[in-house]
Amino acid sequence: MKPIFATLALACAGVSAQARVLWDNNVITDGNAGRAISPPGFPNIRVVEDIRVAGPGWIVDWLKMSIIEDANWSHGGDIDVYIYNDSGNAPGGLNASLNGLSLNRVATGYSYFGRAQYRYEINMGGHVMTPGMYWIGARNANGGGSGTNYWMTSNGGPDGSGTSTGWFSLDGGSTWMPEGSGYHHAFRIEGEFVPEPATMLAIGAGLAALAARRRRR
């Protein structure tokens, strides 16, 4: 029974543990500009960039963003991520709002007009996304002190160079405005592809065989 169990464990690990880069607009950049994304300076702002989820879908583990912070601003300990559906190459209705996510801030060594730059590593908890075009962004809803933080632009990255630039809203996502030329924001999405049906059938058949063998024993 041990060899069968080991084979199944390896198969399941192949489905759930092979993290990879799913989308890349560049994480680390010395930055040309940035858009404010958080309270208290901008309590109702939302800023989003487009992503295009390939078939058969994504299991998203990490969202990594290039961010600078005002000197007297505090991040509040967690972060919200929001995802909007696409509506004619613009943000549409809200698809998902993931609140209070775990945030790890890694200093990059860059700065922008005296503001320190960080790579925000956001634990997305295996959020599943079906194929299609979406708009994704984040904000520190519990940000405090004074000022805000800013989502930096990039050179587009391998995926982002041919895609739409960002959009922003000043009223919590009710109305949107395009960022304008050059505003590709710097971020990366990491995770796994949703398993193909054939892979899941193979795993299911193996588990059924294991259960049958246990019954015989």
Side-chain angles (χ1 to χ4, degrees), residues 91-105:
L94 185 65
N95 178 277
S97 181
L98 310 175
N99 300 322
L101 298 181
S102 173
L103 170 63
N104 183 37
R105 295 158 61 252

mmCIF file with all atom_site columns, all heavy atoms in Angstrom, residues 91-105:
data_model
loop_
_atom_site.group_PDB
_atom_site.id
_atom_site.type_symbol
_atom_site.label_atom_id
_atom_site.label_alt_id
_atom_site.label_comp_id
_atom_site.label_asym_id
_atom_site.label_entity_id
_atom_site.label_seq_id
_atom_site.pdbx_PDB_ins_code
_atom_site.Cartn_x
_atom_site.Cartn_y
_atom_site.Cartn_z
_atom_site.occupancy
_atom_site.B_iso_or_equiv
_atom_site.pdbx_formal_charge
_atom_site.auth_seq_id
_atom_site.auth_comp_id
_atom_site.auth_asym_id
_atom_site.auth_atom_id
_atom_site.pdbx_PDB_model_num
ATOM 1   N N   . PRO A 1 91  ? -12.750 48.550 -16.414 1.00 0.00 ? 91  PRO A N   1
ATOM 2   C CA  . PRO A 1 91  ? -13.303 47.821 -15.271 1.00 0.00 ? 91  PRO A CA  1
ATOM 3   C C   . PRO A 1 91  ? -14.827 47.832 -15.282 1.00 0.00 ? 91  PRO A C   1
ATOM 4   O O   . PRO A 1 91  ? -15.462 48.862 -15.552 1.00 0.00 ? 91  PRO A O   1
ATOM 5   C CB  . PRO A 1 91  ? -12.762 48.604 -14.060 1.00 0.00 ? 91  PRO A CB  1
ATOM 6   C CG  . PRO A 1 91  ? -11.592 49.373 -14.582 1.00 0.00 ? 91  PRO A CG  1
ATOM 7   C CD  . PRO A 1 91  ? -11.918 49.690 -16.004 1.00 0.00 ? 91  PRO A CD  1
ATOM 8   N N   . GLY A 1 92  ? -15.423 46.661 -14.980 1.00 0.00 ? 92  GLY A N   1
ATOM 9   C CA  . GLY A 1 92  ? -16.873 46.533 -14.909 1.00 0.00 ? 92  GLY A CA  1
ATOM 10  C C   . GLY A 1 92  ? -17.315 46.257 -13.479 1.00 0.00 ? 92  GLY A C   1
ATOM 11  O O   . GLY A 1 92  ? -16.842 46.895 -12.537 1.00 0.00 ? 92  GLY A O   1
ATOM 12  N N   . GLY A 1 93  ? -18.206 45.283 -13.313 1.00 0.00 ? 93  GLY A N   1
ATOM 13  C CA  . GLY A 1 93  ? -18.725 44.954 -11.993 1.00 0.00 ? 93  GLY A CA  1
ATOM 14  C C   . GLY A 1 93  ? -17.701 44.234 -11.135 1.00 0.00 ? 93  GLY A C   1
ATOM 15  O O   . GLY A 1 93  ? -16.778 43.575 -11.630 1.00 0.00 ? 93  GLY A O   1
ATOM 16  N N   . LEU A 1 94  ? -17.860 44.354 -9.814  1.00 0.00 ? 94  LEU A N   1
ATOM 17  C CA  . LEU A 1 94  ? -16.945 43.718 -8.875  1.00 0.00 ? 94  LEU A CA  1
ATOM 18  C C   . LEU A 1 94  ? -17.078 42.207 -8.953  1.00 0.00 ? 94  LEU A C   1
ATOM 19  O O   . LEU A 1 94  ? -18.175 41.658 -8.826  1.00 0.00 ? 94  LEU A O   1
ATOM 20  C CB  . LEU A 1 94  ? -17.236 44.203 -7.451  1.00 0.00 ? 94  LEU A CB  1
ATOM 21  C CG  . LEU A 1 94  ? -16.291 43.717 -6.363  1.00 0.00 ? 94  LEU A CG  1
ATOM 22  C CD1 . LEU A 1 94  ? -14.879 44.268 -6.565  1.00 0.00 ? 94  LEU A CD1 1
ATOM 23  C CD2 . LEU A 1 94  ? -16.820 44.117 -4.978  1.00 0.00 ? 94  LEU A CD2 1
ATOM 24  N N   . ASN A 1 95  ? -15.948 41.525 -9.149  1.00 0.00 ? 95  ASN A N   1
ATOM 25  C CA  . ASN A 1 95  ? -15.916 40.070 -9.186  1.00 0.00 ? 95  ASN A CA  1
ATOM 26  C C   . ASN A 1 95  ? -15.607 39.473 -7.827  1.00 0.00 ? 95  ASN A C   1
ATOM 27  O O   . ASN A 1 95  ? -16.226 38.494 -7.411  1.00 0.00 ? 95  ASN A O   1
ATOM 28  C CB  . ASN A 1 95  ? -14.889 39.602 -10.227 1.00 0.00 ? 95  ASN A CB  1
ATOM 29  C CG  . ASN A 1 95  ? -14.754 38.102 -10.300 1.00 0.00 ? 95  ASN A CG  1
ATOM 30  O OD1 . ASN A 1 95  ? -14.036 37.491 -9.507  1.00 0.00 ? 95  ASN A OD1 1
ATOM 31  N ND2 . ASN A 1 95  ? -15.462 37.493 -11.243 1.00 0.00 ? 95  ASN A ND2 1
ATOM 32  N N   . ALA A 1 96  ? -14.642 40.052 -7.102  1.00 0.00 ? 96  ALA A N   1
ATOM 33  C CA  . ALA A 1 96  ? -14.255 39.524 -5.793  1.00 0.00 ? 96  ALA A CA  1
ATOM 34  C C   . ALA A 1 96  ? -13.603 40.629 -4.976  1.00 0.00 ? 96  ALA A C   1
ATOM 35  O O   . ALA A 1 96  ? -12.887 41.470 -5.515  1.00 0.00 ? 96  ALA A O   1
ATOM 36  C CB  . ALA A 1 96  ? -13.291 38.348 -5.944  1.00 0.00 ? 96  ALA A CB  1
ATOM 37  N N   . SER A 1 97  ? -13.869 40.615 -3.661  1.00 0.00 ? 97  SER A N   1
ATOM 38  C CA  . SER A 1 97  ? -13.211 41.517 -2.723  1.00 0.00 ? 97  SER A CA  1
ATOM 39  C C   . SER A 1 97  ? -12.631 40.670 -1.600  1.00 0.00 ? 97  SER A C   1
ATOM 40  O O   . SER A 1 97  ? -13.372 40.031 -0.849  1.00 0.00 ? 97  SER A O   1
ATOM 41  C CB  . SER A 1 97  ? -14.219 42.534 -2.173  1.00 0.00 ? 97  SER A CB  1
ATOM 42  O OG  . SER A 1 97  ? -13.588 43.429 -1.284  1.00 0.00 ? 97  SER A OG  1
ATOM 43  N N   . LEU A 1 98  ? -11.310 40.628 -1.520  1.00 0.00 ? 98  LEU A N   1
ATOM 44  C CA  . LEU A 1 98  ? -10.601 39.797 -0.542  1.00 0.00 ? 98  LEU A CA  1
ATOM 45  C C   . LEU A 1 98  ? -10.019 40.726 0.514   1.00 0.00 ? 98  LEU A C   1
ATOM 46  O O   . LEU A 1 98  ? -9.054  41.441 0.258   1.00 0.00 ? 98  LEU A O   1
ATOM 47  C CB  . LEU A 1 98  ? -9.504  38.987 -1.238  1.00 0.00 ? 98  LEU A CB  1
ATOM 48  C CG  . LEU A 1 98  ? -9.957  38.214 -2.488  1.00 0.00 ? 98  LEU A CG  1
ATOM 49  C CD1 . LEU A 1 98  ? -8.771  37.554 -3.165  1.00 0.00 ? 98  LEU A CD1 1
ATOM 50  C CD2 . LEU A 1 98  ? -11.020 37.195 -2.143  1.00 0.00 ? 98  LEU A CD2 1
ATOM 51  N N   . ASN A 1 99  ? -10.600 40.726 1.688   1.00 0.00 ? 99  ASN A N   1
ATOM 52  C CA  . ASN A 1 99  ? -10.277 41.721 2.707   1.00 0.00 ? 99  ASN A CA  1
ATOM 53  C C   . ASN A 1 99  ? -9.393  41.156 3.808   1.00 0.00 ? 99  ASN A C   1
ATOM 54  O O   . ASN A 1 99  ? -9.495  39.974 4.161   1.00 0.00 ? 99  ASN A O   1
ATOM 55  C CB  . ASN A 1 99  ? -11.566 42.270 3.321   1.00 0.00 ? 99  ASN A CB  1
ATOM 56  C CG  . ASN A 1 99  ? -12.464 42.924 2.289   1.00 0.00 ? 99  ASN A CG  1
ATOM 57  O OD1 . ASN A 1 99  ? -11.980 43.583 1.366   1.00 0.00 ? 99  ASN A OD1 1
ATOM 58  N ND2 . ASN A 1 99  ? -13.765 42.744 2.432   1.00 0.00 ? 99  ASN A ND2 1
ATOM 59  N N   . GLY A 1 100 ? -8.519  42.016 4.349   1.00 0.00 ? 100 GLY A N   1
ATOM 60  C CA  . GLY A 1 100 ? -7.691  41.634 5.484   1.00 0.00 ? 100 GLY A CA  1
ATOM 61  C C   . GLY A 1 100 ? -6.653  40.579 5.180   1.00 0.00 ? 100 GLY A C   1
ATOM 62  O O   . GLY A 1 100 ? -6.346  39.742 6.031   1.00 0.00 ? 100 GLY A O   1
ATOM 63  N N   . LEU A 1 101 ? -6.085  40.606 3.981   1.00 0.00 ? 101 LEU A N   1
ATOM 64  C CA  . LEU A 1 101 ? -5.096  39.602 3.598   1.00 0.00 ? 101 LEU A CA  1
ATOM 65  C C   . LEU A 1 101 ? -3.747  39.886 4.252   1.00 0.00 ? 101 LEU A C   1
ATOM 66  O O   . LEU A 1 101 ? -3.394  41.025 4.550   1.00 0.00 ? 101 LEU A O   1
ATOM 67  C CB  . LEU A 1 101 ? -4.933  39.575 2.080   1.00 0.00 ? 101 LEU A CB  1
ATOM 68  C CG  . LEU A 1 101 ? -6.175  39.194 1.270   1.00 0.00 ? 101 LEU A CG  1
ATOM 69  C CD1 . LEU A 1 101 ? -5.844  39.194 -0.216  1.00 0.00 ? 101 LEU A CD1 1
ATOM 70  C CD2 . LEU A 1 101 ? -6.722  37.840 1.700   1.00 0.00 ? 101 LEU A CD2 1
ATOM 71  N N   . SER A 1 102 ? -2.972  38.807 4.438   1.00 0.00 ? 102 SER A N   1
ATOM 72  C CA  . SER A 1 102 ? -1.645  38.915 5.037   1.00 0.00 ? 102 SER A CA  1
ATOM 73  C C   . SER A 1 102 ? -0.692  39.637 4.085   1.00 0.00 ? 102 SER A C   1
ATOM 74  O O   . SER A 1 102 ? -0.667  39.364 2.881   1.00 0.00 ? 102 SER A O   1
ATOM 75  C CB  . SER A 1 102 ? -1.120  37.508 5.349   1.00 0.00 ? 102 SER A CB  1
ATOM 76  O OG  . SER A 1 102 ? 0.217   37.545 5.792   1.00 0.00 ? 102 SER A OG  1
ATOM 77  N N   . LEU A 1 103 ? 0.107   40.555 4.649   1.00 0.00 ? 103 LEU A N   1
ATOM 78  C CA  . LEU A 1 103 ? 1.008   41.382 3.852   1.00 0.00 ? 103 LEU A CA  1
ATOM 79  C C   . LEU A 1 103 ? 2.425   41.274 4.382   1.00 0.00 ? 103 LEU A C   1
ATOM 80  O O   . LEU A 1 103 ? 2.674   41.463 5.569   1.00 0.00 ? 103 LEU A O   1
ATOM 81  C CB  . LEU A 1 103 ? 0.553   42.844 3.904   1.00 0.00 ? 103 LEU A CB  1
ATOM 82  C CG  . LEU A 1 103 ? 1.510   43.891 3.327   1.00 0.00 ? 103 LEU A CG  1
ATOM 83  C CD1 . LEU A 1 103 ? 1.726   43.670 1.842   1.00 0.00 ? 103 LEU A CD1 1
ATOM 84  C CD2 . LEU A 1 103 ? 0.984   45.300 3.603   1.00 0.00 ? 103 LEU A CD2 1
ATOM 85  N N   . ASN A 1 104 ? 3.364   40.978 3.466   1.00 0.00 ? 104 ASN A N   1
ATOM 86  C CA  . ASN A 1 104 ? 4.787   40.995 3.784   1.00 0.00 ? 104 ASN A CA  1
ATOM 87  C C   . ASN A 1 104 ? 5.448   42.081 2.940   1.00 0.00 ? 104 ASN A C   1
ATOM 88  O O   . ASN A 1 104 ? 5.330   42.086 1.720   1.00 0.00 ? 104 ASN A O   1
ATOM 89  C CB  . ASN A 1 104 ? 5.413   39.625 3.473   1.00 0.00 ? 104 ASN A CB  1
ATOM 90  C CG  . ASN A 1 104 ? 6.878   39.566 3.853   1.00 0.00 ? 104 ASN A CG  1
ATOM 91  O OD1 . ASN A 1 104 ? 7.279   40.129 4.864   1.00 0.00 ? 104 ASN A OD1 1
ATOM 92  N ND2 . ASN A 1 104 ? 7.681   38.888 3.044   1.00 0.00 ? 104 ASN A ND2 1
ATOM 93  N N   . ARG A 1 105 ? 6.124   43.033 3.596   1.00 0.00 ? 105 ARG A N   1
ATOM 94  C CA  . ARG A 1 105 ? 6.764   44.155 2.914   1.00 0.00 ? 105 ARG A CA  1
ATOM 95  C C   . ARG A 1 105 ? 8.269   43.907 2.866   1.00 0.00 ? 105 ARG A C   1
ATOM 96  O O   . ARG A 1 105 ? 8.908   43.754 3.893   1.00 0.00 ? 105 ARG A O   1
ATOM 97  C CB  . ARG A 1 105 ? 6.471   45.463 3.624   1.00 0.00 ? 105 ARG A CB  1
ATOM 98  C CG  . ARG A 1 105 ? 5.021   45.855 3.602   1.00 0.00 ? 105 ARG A CG  1
ATOM 99  C CD  . ARG A 1 105 ? 4.648   46.817 4.716   1.00 0.00 ? 105 ARG A CD  1
ATOM 100 N NE  . ARG A 1 105 ? 5.365   48.070 4.665   1.00 0.00 ? 105 ARG A NE  1
ATOM 101 C CZ  . ARG A 1 105 ? 6.316   48.413 5.528   1.00 0.00 ? 105 ARG A CZ  1
ATOM 102 N NH1 . ARG A 1 105 ? 6.664   47.600 6.503   1.00 0.00 ? 105 ARG A NH1 1
ATOM 103 N NH2 . ARG A 1 105 ? 6.909   49.587 5.431   1.00 0.00 ? 105 ARG A NH2 1
#
